[in-house]
Structures are given as structure tokens and as C-alpha cells.
């Protein structure tokens, strides 16, 4: 069965410093992976997705993620945090043959300090 | 704008009552998913429909039911409401049933407060 683990429930960074949100997955086959962002009182918005093409995936708002099969990781990064990046981030793995087609991580709340 | 429309955006109701949440998926999407998000439980998958048929059931209570209509819009019915049902309910849609590589798009959610 597919699973996804977000290693940090909370991350705090200063504005202008790099962001790293960690995600590890478990999959018995080549997975599709996604990162979503949820701003307060808003729906989840797709940041980027990996579907077995390039391992380095670029998303919106300067975010990118690298698929590393050997480490079963799909960490989300951004070179320089902005105040508007403060939100909750969800790592998601698709599970086409499972009951739940999309498996969500428990989320990482990103705080950006001025 | 994801293209997924949910109504109402906010709803306040009393315990024991029944409410219906409505969702219109993105144009062309056949799969609809319902999720519940609360502070203590996080994001919980409730149920999935594909082209009018129920395809997967998650942590959905027996007091809750859903359906997808021929025009592909979906409704989530919550009955005998309890205080603990207060949450943000999301509808999401994707183009097909498989989930493989296809993006799932979320609506803005319906805030339900049970008093």
C-alpha cells in the first residue's frame, strides 16, 4: 500500500531564507506525487506534481521538489521564503489500485518570520 | 480558481439537524471526492464517486451520505448533526477514477458549524 510521511509538523523560517519541507513516501510501484498548499480558510491548491518525467519538478511561486527514488523522498524547497508562503503544505501520493486514490500526508505548517 | 464550486461557503446549524452540501466539479471531471478537515482529525477522506457511482468509501459516518447526479454535481448530506461534525468540508474532482498522475482539484470548502 502507498503511504506518505511528512517529517515535520511545523517549520519556521525567516523571510528571505531557504525553505525545506520534507516528505517521504512508500510505494510498491512508480508513484505520482504532489504538493498542495492551503492558506488559512482556503482550499488546497496544487503547487507541483511528479509523474515519472523529470525528477526535478518546478511549481508555482518559486517552489520546486526533487523526486529521489533511492531515498524515497520528495522534499519541497524554495530558495527564499516570502511572508505570503506562510500556510500549510500537504504531500500527496496517488494510489491508483488502492481504495483511497490519493493518500495525504498530515501536513506541515510553515511559519515565516519577518 | 480551481474550477470546483462548493455551496454554501458557511453554514451554522443546530445539533440534530440535517444539512446538504453541494459541489460542482471542474468541467470534464468525472470523479468527485469529499473530504472533512477538522483541527483534531486533519484531512479525512470521506467518499468518492465516479460518473454517478460510488467507488470508494473512507471514514464516512453512517449519518452521512452522498450522491453524484447525472450532471456530475454531487451532494453530501449530513444528518443528526453533532457538535463534533463542525469542520471544513471539501469537495475535489479529477478527470478519471484512477488517480494515477491526474491532478485532484479542490474547492474552497464549506464551513459547517454545529451549535
Amino acid at each position: 500500500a502507498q503511504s506518505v510521511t511528512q517529517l515535520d509538523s511545523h517549520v519556521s523560517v525567516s523571510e528571505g531564507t531557504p525553505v525545506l519541507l520534507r516528505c517521504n513516501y512508500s510505494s510498491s510501484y512508480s508513484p505520482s506525487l504532489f504538493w498542495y498548499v492551503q492558506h488559512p480558510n482556503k482550499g488546497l491548491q496544487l503547487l507541483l506534481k511528479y509523474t515519472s518525467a523529470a525528477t526535478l519538478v518546478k511549481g508555482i511561486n518559486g517552489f520546486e521538489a526533487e523526486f529521489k527514488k533511492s531515498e524515497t523522498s520528495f522534499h519541497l524547497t524554495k530558495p527564499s521564503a516570502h511572508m505570503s508562503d506562510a500556510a500549510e503544505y500537504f504531500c500527496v501520493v496517488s494510489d491508483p489500485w488502492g481504495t483511497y486514490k490519493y493518500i495525504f500526508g498530515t501536513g506541515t505548517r510553515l511559519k515565516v518570520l519577518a | 480558481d480551481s474550477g470546483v464550486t462548493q455551496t454554501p461557503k458557511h453554514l451554522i446549524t443546530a445539533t440534530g439537524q440535517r444539512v446538504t452540501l453541494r459541489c460542482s466539479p471542474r468541467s470534464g471531471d468525472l470523479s468527485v471526492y469529499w473530504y472533512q478537515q477538522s483541527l483534531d482529525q486533519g484531512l479525512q477522506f470521506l467518499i468518492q464517486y465516479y460518473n454517478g457511482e460510488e467507488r470508494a468509501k473512507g471514514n464516512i459516518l453512517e449519518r452521512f451520505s452522498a450522491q453524484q447526479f447525472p450532471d456530475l454535481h454531487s451532494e453530501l448530506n449530513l444528518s443528526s448533526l453533532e457538535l463534533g461534525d463542525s469542520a471544513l468540508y471539501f469537495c475535489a474532482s479529477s478527470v478519471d477514477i484512477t488517480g494515477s498522475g491526474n491532478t485532484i482539484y479542490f474547492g474552497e470548502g464549506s464551513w459547517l458549524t454545529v451549535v
Side-chain angles (χ1 to χ4, degrees), chain A residues 32 34 36 38 41-46 49-51 88 90 92 94-97 99-102 104-105, chain B residues 33 35 37 43 45 48 55-59 88 90 94 97-108 111:
Chain A
S32 293
F34 308 78
Y36 284 82
Q38 184 182 23
N41 302 320
K42 293 289 188 183
L44 281 73
Q45 179 187 16
L46 178 70
K49 71 176 183 181
Y50 166 78
T51 55
E88 185 139 26
F90 292 92
V92 182
S94 69
D95 185 12
W97 288 276
T99 298
Y100 305 167
K101 302 305 177 188
Y102 297 89
F104 283 76
Chain B
Y33 310 76
Y35 290 84
Q37 187 178 42
L43 193 64
F45 168 71
Q48 178 200 5
R55 298 310 297 240
K57 234 175 188 178
N59 301 322
L88 184 54
F90 284 113
S94 68
I97 191 175
T98 67
S100 179
N102 292 306
T103 301
I104 179 172
Y105 294 93
F106 283 80
E108 293 281 297
W111 270 108

Side-chain angles (χ1 to χ4, degrees), chain A residues 19 47-48 57-64 76-78 85 89:
Chain A
V19 176
L47 274 178
L48 49 82
V57 182
K58 293 189 184 300
I60 62 171
N61 300 334
F63 284 94
E64 61 182 37
L76 182 70
T77 61
K78 183 174 180 178
D85 294 327
Y89 293 78

